[in-house]
Amino acid sequence: MFSYEYVTEEQLAGFDKYKYSAVDTNPLSVYVMHPFWNSVVKILPTWLAPNLLTFCGFMLLVLNFCMLAYFDYNFYASGEGYEHVPSWVWGVAGFLNFTAYTLDGVDGKQARRTNSSSPLGELFDHGLDSWACVFFVVTVYSIFGRGEAGVSVFTLFLILWVVLFSFILSHWEKYNTGILFLPWGYDISQVTISIVYIITAIVGVEAWYGPIFLNFQYRDLFTTMILSCAFIVTFPVSLYNVFKAYRSGTLKQHSFYEAMLPFISPVLLFSLCLLWVRISPYDVLEKHPRILYFLVGTAFSNITCKLIVCQMSNTRCQPLSCLLLPLAVGVLLVISGILHDNEYYLLIILTTVVTAAHIHYGVCVVNQLSKHFNIYAFSLKKPNTE
């Protein structure tokens, strides 16, 4: 069932030649977090596989998502007049978020410490990071919610897309330049989110109700920080890095079309989801925002993982993802009016299909690369070579 070979022979050959190349210039990361992670990794047992750290960190974010889904499924719990999420939940959320961030920071150091670095480890790390985006964005939304002091579910839908495109931008850079420029926004956002959770646990969500200055609310600060980080820092810096590679003659893609190939599927996914949200007779986003966010994040992660495989193996990115087909069919059914009151079931079916397809892809790719490199994904022991 999980032996399907998604990675082509050409890509496997590319993985054999792969060399890790990344640049991290974020002062928070360089001067604060890396020294902290260097201390943490020293207490880890040397038999602990780096991929196990990566996976555990990811699962902590999933646990956070599920925990807040239980206490605040519809994002109303932070609103005035509603029964609030218990304070201990925010404390746990802050601890889990920071622990997940720490595990994501030490996995590479553990790999170098145990001499077990491999292309599979990098792919596994960044692949799970691409899926993690939806979990930490949607989970922190519960602090502000969709009440009077919060933002609308459609606003968060757009914010989520800004975060997702910010993530894929760094891998688009590497697809074109061969160098992974680690975005500043990630470290800043993770530390900020963890602190916000802890503050909320201590003083309650009421702390975010009042204005900061005149009519400028905390929800406005939340939105402004994300958009500013994306449009003032992440996007311009990414474009500049690609332009520098073009000017120096080191750009890997030699036509505008080839350079922009990685964006075709994400843009089509965004267009399909936006069309569905805007024309939905059932008002699917208002009634089931959490499920729709999860569907969007999972489909986007699948597209991003395939891009990461291509940029690491130095192969051509495919313009269209097969996951766009069921989504396009679903949107056509909504537009046609055939579904009537059954749109909710369409949402559940599409989410199930996309999630199953993404998990199948991930497990198969990990199995295939583990076999290719003759390693175990979650153990430092070597397979029997007899």
Side-chain angles (χ1 to χ4, degrees):
M1 183 177 179
F2 293 106
S3 59
Y4 186 84
E5 297 185 347
Y6 285 101
V7 185
T8 66
E9 290 297 326
E10 180 188 7
Q11 289 173 333
L12 289 175
F15 273 112
D16 288 333
K17 302 173 186 175
Y18 177 74
K19 298 293 182 184
Y20 180 66
S21 179
V23 175
D24 189 357
T25 58
N26 183 1
L28 174 62
S29 174
V30 174
Y31 298 111
V32 179
M33 298 315 303
H34 275 291
F36 172 67
W37 295 331
N38 287 334
S39 299
V40 171
V41 76
K42 291 176 183 177
I43 67 176
L44 297 177
T46 53
W47 53 262
L48 197 57
N51 289 341
L52 194 58
L53 297 174
T54 306
F55 186 69
C56 288
F58 172 75
M59 291 307 296
L60 292 182
L61 294 178
V62 175
L63 177 59
N64 249 358
F65 178 84
C66 294
M67 180 174 66
L68 265 298
Y70 175 79
F71 285 100
D72 184 27
Y73 177 77
N74 288 309
F75 305 107
Y76 278 121
S78 294
E80 295 186 71
Y82 291 90
E83 185 178 346
H84 289 170
V85 173
S87 295
W88 66 265
V89 172
W90 301 121
V92 171
F95 173 76
L96 294 181
N97 191 85
F98 188 76
T99 304
Y101 172 50
T102 301
L103 291 175
D104 189 43
V106 302
D107 54 4
K109 296 180 183 298
Q110 177 74 348
R112 289 184 287 276
R113 179 177 175 235
T114 57
N115 197 28
S116 59
S117 299
S118 70
L120 172 59
E122 183 183 342
L123 175 62
F124 191 71
D125 185 6
H126 294 311
L128 288 183
D129 283 346
S130 70
W131 204 2
C133 288
V134 68
F135 295 116
F136 69 75
V137 170
V138 174
T139 302
V140 78
Y141 179 44
S142 285
I143 289 180
F144 301 94
R146 59 202 286 197
E148 239 178 80
V151 298
S152 70
V153 288
F154 182 69
T155 299
L156 187 79
F157 173 81
L158 298 178
I159 290 173
L160 175 60
W161 273 105
V162 170
V163 173
L164 293 176
F165 272 110
S166 297
F167 181 88
I168 202 174
L169 208 59
S170 60
H171 293 284
W172 171 74
E173 280 181 83
K174 190 174 182 183
Y175 179 75
N176 284 283
T177 66
I179 301 172
L180 180 65
F181 296 92
L182 298 172
W184 283 29
Y186 175 69
D187 296 286
I188 295 171
S189 65
Q190 291 305 304
V191 172
T192 302
I193 288 172
S194 300
I195 293 173
V196 168
Y197 279 136
I198 299 303
I199 292 174
T200 306
I202 297 171
V203 301
V205 293
E206 294 85 359
W208 314 109
Y209 286 172
I212 303 172
F213 177 75
L214 297 178
N215 291 324
F216 192 74
Q217 307 282 333
Y218 280 102
R219 67 185 176 195
D220 303 319
L221 178 63
F222 167 69
T223 304
T224 302
M225 285 179 61
I226 293 175
L227 297 182
S228 298
C229 190
F231 292 105
I232 297 178
V233 180
T234 304
F235 291 3
V237 169
S238 292
L239 293 174
Y240 177 67
N241 287 332
V242 173
F243 175 72
K244 278 200 309 182
Y246 168 76
R247 191 171 56 183
S248 64
T250 59
L251 199 66
K252 297 171 73 67
Q253 313 305 326
H254 301 295
S255 73
F256 180 78
Y257 173 73
E258 291 296 329
M260 300 303 290
L261 267 182
F263 285 135
I264 294 178
S265 284
V267 169
L268 286 176
L269 176 63
F270 170 71
S271 302
L272 286 170
C273 293
L274 181 62
L275 179 61
W276 185 5
V277 165
R278 301 309 289 175
I279 58 95
S280 170
Y282 178 71
D283 209 358
V284 66
L285 181 59
E286 286 290 332
K287 292 182 178 176
H288 296 284
R290 191 176 290 272
I291 300 176
L292 188 63
Y293 295 149
F294 178 77
L295 169 62
V296 166
T298 303
F300 192 91
S301 176
N302 187 262
I303 291 170
T304 305
C305 286
K306 291 174 181 176
L307 168 61
I308 296 171
V309 168
C310 291
Q311 53 101 333
M312 289 184 67
S313 61
N314 197 27
T315 53
R316 186 174 185 265
C317 178
Q318 295 302 308
L320 296 176
S321 168
C322 59
L323 286 186
L324 294 173
L325 180 59
L327 286 168
V329 171
V331 172
L332 286 175
L333 290 174
V334 173
I335 294 174
S336 67
I338 295 175
L339 295 176
H340 298 295
D341 296 327
N342 296 318
E343 200 174 329
Y344 169 71
Y345 299 105
L346 171 67
L347 175 63
I348 295 298
I349 291 171
L350 284 177
T351 303
T352 302
V353 168
V354 168
T355 304
H358 185 44
I359 292 175
H360 186 266
Y361 175 81
V363 173
C364 287
V365 169
V366 169
N367 285 341
Q368 189 178 357
L369 289 181
S370 296
K371 182 179 178 181
H372 179 75
F373 289 112
N374 193 36
I375 58 177
Y376 289 123
F378 299 113
S379 173
L380 295 180
K381 294 179 180 179
K382 289 293 182 181
N384 190 345
T385 56
E386 291 181 5

